[in-house]
Amino acid sequence: LRPSLSAVSSAALRQETDSRPLPPGWRSYTSPEGLRYYVNSCSKETTWRHPSLLTESPQRPLAQQNSSPYGKTEPLSSQPTCSSTQFLKGTNMSLLSVISVFLLFSLQINCVTFPLPGESPEQQLLKPNEWSYCDYFWNDKKDPQGTTSVAGFEVLLQKQLKGKQMQKEMAEFIHERIKIEEEYAKNLSKLSLNPLAAQEEGTLGEAWTQLKKSLHDEAEVHLKFSSKLHTEVEKPLLTFRCDNFKKDLKKYDHHIADLRKQLASRYTSVEKARKALADRQKDLEVKTQQLEIKLSNKTEEDIKKARRKSTQAGDDLMRCVDLYNQTQCKWFEEMVTTSMELEKLEVERIEWIQQHLRQYTTLRHETDMFNQSMVEPVDQLLQNVDPAKDRELWVRENNTGDVRPVDMDI
Ligand SMILES: *[C@@H]1O[C@H](CO)[C@@H](O)[C@H](O)[C@H]1NC(C)=O
Ligand SMILES: *[C@@H]1O[C@H](CO)[C@@H](O)[C@H](O)[C@H]1NC(C)=O
Ligand SMILES: *[C@@H]1O[C@H](CO)[C@@H](O)[C@H](O)[C@H]1NC(C)=O
Ligand SMILES: *[C@@H]1O[C@H](CO)[C@@H](O)[C@H](O)[C@H]1NC(C)=O
Ligand SMILES: CC(=O)N[C@H]1CO[C@H](CO)[C@@H](O)[C@@H]1O
């Protein structure tokens, strides 16, 4: 939509050809009707009048992002302005031309108003260099078939739900790991009680006995490992955010979705009001023309009435845009605070999991080291195995006499 001609002051028409140099920060553009208007990219002012004619405009307070309902948030590098329309504030343009420029500069996608690329001052990221959630999910995302679209916020929520699921699956995985360890321990201690070769004797017998005993100790170590895995890894992974997490997400979801719905309904009102204004303006135009060519004997009164109705329609549109604006601003603010909250939650989740997986490797490492103490005695006894000594021992106990036979006397 273009600015309607009737909205442009005649002053603007006169200044169309103004060729005086522009003060610093100002650039001039041409509307589709060929009218010149001016934009100051620093102060974000827009005007139809040559900026050298403007008296210094008062400093406008920018929307401040001071408190978040979800707790402390990081300071944002640039002031979050609700939308491109904010920079129209404080200019001395007529109401209708404000709306016109608002429409000229912007682009509506799914009822959200975005600045036209290249038409308005560059937007700064709220948190530059951080790839923050609050900067990158303003658009809706089309699914691959292009049939339905998902709100950017929805994408963030899906990430949260997936993260929750991954955390649950990791706990399950650790549980399986624990089961292997427990079964292994059970098998080891069962085997250590096995009577096989219990009757081996001597130094070899001692080493063998120690080896069997070591299996039992080893089993203990694995049992300890499995129980530590349970309390120090599995349980924390399982219980992290188990109570209200999904409910909280739903709350965020409903809140943002409600604002979007409100925005859509206000957008519809704007569209209606815009159409009504166009109709009124056309009516006024027709009546004026009719009077001029004396097609009808419409009186001045009729024209006045039509003009009044047109002005009223303009006011209506203004009011609708303002309401739309307010809702979009609210949505914007909630998007920023909530997406930053989700960002914080994700950082916490990742750090929590990292911490507990580290605990896993520490425990695992400890279990590996156990062997020293368990196997060392076995090693020692094996070193002491001495066939000669064993023979001596055995012979001592089981000999059947060392007196050898001699020749028979006659
Ligand atoms: C434990 O022993 C059983 C057979 O008694 C075997 O099927 C299983 O795989 C063993 N488990 C481990 C972890 O060694
Ligand atoms: C002009 O007004 C007169 C009465 O004042 C009426 O009789 C006539 O029909 C009107 N003409 C038109 C074209 O409306
Ligand atoms: C847009 O909204 C802001 C407040 O949310 C308001 O001050 C401004 O005048 C609105 N602009 C229009 C064109 O209604
Ligand atoms: C050897 O002597 C020991 C101790 O007296 C005894 O327990 C063992 O049964 C004997 N072995 C044989 C093969 O007789
Ligand atoms: C898990 C475990 O029992 N590790 C042991 C490994 O062996 C050293 C001594 O060599 C013990 O101090 C550890 O407790």
Side-chain angles (χ1 to χ4, degrees):
L1 248 128
R2 296 155 174 201
S4 77
L5 270 177
S6 63
V8 179
S9 70
S10 52
L13 282 167
R14 261 183 277 115
Q15 283 151 23
E16 196 185 349
T17 54
D18 201 325
S19 60
R20 276 165 302 173
L22 290 166
W26 288 93
R27 276 163 68 187
S28 77
Y29 296 87
T30 308
S31 79
E33 277 78 14
L35 296 177
R36 200 164 286 281
Y37 60 90
Y38 305 89
V39 176
N40 184 327
S41 51
C42 303
S43 67
K44 300 179 178 9
E45 284 175 82
T46 307
T47 176
W48 294 105
R49 299 175 61 191
H50 194 284
S52 67
L53 299 173
L54 296 172
T55 51
E56 188 130 357
S57 56
Q59 201 81 51
R60 292 183 309 287
L62 288 157
Q64 196 88 33
Q65 193 74 45
N66 37 25
S67 68
S68 142
Y70 313 109
K72 215 168 141 46
T73 52
E74 297 282 304
L76 299 169
S77 80
S78 67
Q79 297 294 347
T81 49
C82 292
S83 67
S84 59
T85 59
Q86 282 234 337
F87 70 88
L88 294 170
K89 276 205 267 179
T91 63
N92 52 1
M93 296 158 71
S94 77
L95 293 188
L96 281 178
S97 61
V98 168
I99 292 173
S100 304
V101 172
F102 158 77
L103 298 168
L104 178 73
F105 269 117
S106 60
L107 164 74
Q108 279 87 29
I109 303 170
N110 292 348
C111 306
V112 180
T113 304
F114 295 98
L116 272 178
E119 285 283 0
S120 50
E122 282 281 306
Q123 284 185 342
Q124 260 200 345
L125 292 178
L126 300 173
K127 301 180 90 179
N129 306 321
E130 286 194 38
W131 293 95
S132 174
Y133 284 177
C134 73
D135 272 317
Y136 292 99
F137 292 89
W138 292 108
N139 267 306
D140 294 342
K141 183 187 152 199
K142 277 216 162 62
D143 72 355
Q145 291 91 8
T147 44
T148 53
S149 68
V150 176
F153 186 68
E154 222 45 54
V155 174
L156 289 176
L157 285 176
Q158 279 164 15
K159 168 81 175 143
Q160 293 284 322
L161 289 173
K162 190 167 145 195
K164 176 78 187 147
Q165 178 64 20
M166 294 305 102
Q167 170 204 330
K168 209 181 119 209
E169 287 182 16
M170 282 180 193
E172 268 174 46
F173 186 91
I174 297 294
H175 186 73
E176 289 304 310
R177 181 74 185 80
I178 290 170
K179 268 163 63 183
I180 288 175
E181 211 63 25
E182 281 174 345
E183 198 185 340
Y184 185 60
K186 223 185 286 168
N187 282 5
L188 280 179
S189 58
K190 199 167 122 199
L191 188 58
S192 86
L193 296 174
N194 189 302
L196 285 172
Q199 294 187 19
E200 183 56 65
E201 298 167 333
T203 53
L204 183 61
E206 270 177 59
W208 177 245
T209 304
Q210 187 59 40
L211 189 146
K212 281 166 79 177
K213 189 176 164 300
S214 82
L215 291 193
H216 175 77
D217 297 340
E218 209 180 327
E220 290 288 296
V221 170
H222 284 274
L223 220 52
K224 209 166 98 192
F225 176 48
S226 76
S227 104
K228 278 190 171 180
L229 271 187
H230 176 65
T231 54
E232 294 173 31
V233 184
E234 185 198 6
K235 232 172 157 181
L237 284 179
L238 204 59
T239 56
F240 183 58
R241 285 184 189 152
C242 63
D243 359 305
N244 285 328
F245 182 67
K246 287 197 178 169
K247 241 162 78 190
D248 287 349
L249 285 193
K250 272 221 171 78
K251 243 188 322 197
Y252 293 146
D253 190 15
H254 285 158
H255 189 50
I256 300 283
D258 277 354
L259 286 172
R260 268 304 282 274
K261 261 186 230 148
Q262 241 183 71
L263 193 61
S265 102
R266 300 224 148 140
Y267 182 74
T268 310
S269 307
V270 168
E271 291 289 282
K272 262 193 216 149
R274 192 184 294 163
K275 194 177 172 305
L277 175 61
D279 290 348
R280 287 297 167 200
Q281 283 185 332
K282 198 162 177 204
D283 184 46
L284 176 62
E285 223 169 275
V286 167
K287 281 180 176 158
T288 312
Q289 273 173 11
Q290 281 174 347
L291 181 73
E292 275 170 2
I293 59 174
K294 309 230 184 301
L295 241 175
S296 80
N297 48 10
K298 293 276 181 216
T299 61
E300 280 290 324
E301 200 54 41
D302 281 331
I303 303 267
K304 260 189 201 154
K305 208 167 137 195
R307 186 168 290 134
R308 215 166 36 238
K309 279 189 173 166
S310 168
T311 307
Q312 201 179 6
D315 288 348
D316 275 352
L317 175 56
M318 189 64 197
R319 202 171 35 81
C320 288
V321 170
D322 201 44
L323 285 174
Y324 168 86
N325 244 358
Q326 281 169 25
T327 304
Q328 185 170 257
C329 195
K330 185 125 190 289
W331 174 72
F332 169 88
E333 278 173 13
E334 292 301 312
M335 278 287 285
V336 171
T337 49
T338 311
S339 63
M340 270 162 55
E341 174 65 15
L342 295 185
E343 181 175 308
K344 203 180 80 192
L345 287 174
E346 177 63 357
V347 169
E348 280 171 9
R349 181 188 80 93
I350 289 175
E351 285 176 352
W352 177 270
I353 290 176
Q354 178 196 35
Q355 182 194 334
H356 289 90
L357 294 187
R358 277 200 177 133
Q359 185 58 13
Y360 168 81
T361 61
T362 304
L363 291 173
R364 180 72 188 78
H365 190 58
E366 269 178 26
T367 306
D368 269 350
M369 287 190 342
F370 93 96
N371 44 26
Q372 236 75 7
S373 62
M374 301 302 136
V375 181
E376 239 166 40
V378 181
D379 277 338
Q380 245 158 38
L381 287 173
L382 283 175
Q383 261 169 25
N384 293 344
V385 168
D386 180 350
K389 200 172 161 196
D390 278 6
R391 189 175 63 243
E392 179 194 323
L393 263 165
W394 186 81
V395 170
R396 276 179 195 277
E397 284 181 3
N398 296 93
N399 73 79
T400 57
D402 58 355
V403 180
R404 292 186 300 278
V406 292
D407 286 349
M408 188 195 288
D409 283 335
I410 299 176

